[in-house]
Amino acid sequence: MARYDKGHRDTTRRHILDVASTQFRENGIAAVGLAGIMAEAGLTNGAFYTHYASKEDLVRAVLCDALERREQRHKDNLENGVALETVIRDYLSPRHRDRAATGCPTAALVSEIARHPKATREAFTGKISDILALMAAQMPEGTPAERRRRAIAAYATMVGALQLSRAVSDRQLSEEILENAVDAALALAKGR
């Protein structure tokens, strides 16, 4: 039996996670099979179960990892004084719209997550709550409850607008959706 270098298991697990994350966001969870993930990762189907108990286990891992990365970006923005307006404009940009495979996992997967088991939805809920708290911390003025309310409204506007902009076939309409959503999210963030 061949021995692998220390850390090989973690590296392989990470590789499977990254491949699945890209495929799920690009094509949707339901449309992606384990065989396709493992083929893209350059591994056998049997190797999957060394790392994950099931596809649902992988889905939860992908969501947690992708949302933790998103959360870290929000933390970095707070620490570096990046204005919430910059965050909103970046999120609702044509560049983000056109890169679903590497973009926000919420916008790419939220409609499917609603149909997943409670454990997956609870993992998603916890991460989204953390992101909302960080967004609220970037909101100008207001009580914590008011800032949280505005963060929820702004985030929901951003996610929904990004989904709509990806779904329509008319490029001009897609651009209008993004532009108008920027204005709406900024107004919500500022409490107007």
Side-chain angles (χ1 to χ4, degrees):
M1 185 163 160
R3 286 204 158 272
Y4 292 106
D5 292 337
K6 186 177 180 174
H8 174 77
R9 180 177 161 83
D10 291 340
T11 301
T12 301
R13 182 179 172 87
R14 173 89 242 165
H15 184 56
I16 294 168
L17 187 73
D18 290 342
V19 169
S21 184
T22 298
Q23 287 190 10
F24 288 162
R25 286 187 258 184
E26 180 89 15
N27 302 307
I29 296 166
V32 174
L34 294 180
I37 292 169
M38 296 307 284
E40 176 80 18
L43 300 164
T44 65
N45 289 352
F48 175 82
Y49 295 100
T50 302
H51 302 281
Y52 297 95
S54 64
K55 182 178 177 182
E56 195 62 34
D57 183 34
L58 176 61
V59 168
R60 273 191 303 278
V62 163
L63 284 174
C64 288
D65 179 69
L67 290 169
E68 282 170 7
R69 290 176 186 225
R70 212 21 84 189
E71 181 182 358
Q72 187 57 52
R73 287 178 73 185
H74 282 282
K75 287 178 182 176
D76 293 345
N77 288 339
L78 267 172
E79 289 173 13
N80 296 316
V82 175
L84 186 56
E85 179 173 350
T86 303
V87 172
I88 290 170
R89 288 186 185 284
D90 182 57
Y91 189 95
L92 293 169
S93 68
R95 181 183 45 75
H96 189 202
R97 176 200 58 209
D98 297 342
R99 295 184 180 158
T102 57
C104 175
T106 303
L109 303 172
V110 72
S111 63
E112 287 188 86
I113 294 164
R115 295 180 199 96
H116 278 259
K118 186 175 182 181
T120 300
R121 292 190 335 269
E122 285 177 348
F124 178 76
T125 300
K127 293 298 174 190
I128 291 302
S129 294
D130 295 342
I131 289 170
L132 290 170
L134 289 166
M135 281 187 74
Q138 284 186 284
M139 300 277 169
E141 295 134 24
T143 67
E146 290 168 338
R147 290 195 320 269
R148 179 175 167 76
R149 180 185 56 78
R150 292 194 330 256
I152 290 169
Y155 190 63
T157 298
M158 293 162 61
V159 169
L162 189 59
Q163 289 179 304
L164 276 174
S165 74
R166 288 176 176 163
V168 299
S169 61
D170 180 331
R171 194 68 161 184
Q172 183 177 346
L173 176 57
S174 178
E175 301 288 334
E176 286 181 85
I177 291 167
L178 292 175
E179 290 167 12
N180 286 294
V182 166
D183 294 340
L186 287 172
L188 288 165
K190 294 175 182 175
R192 290 190 222 148

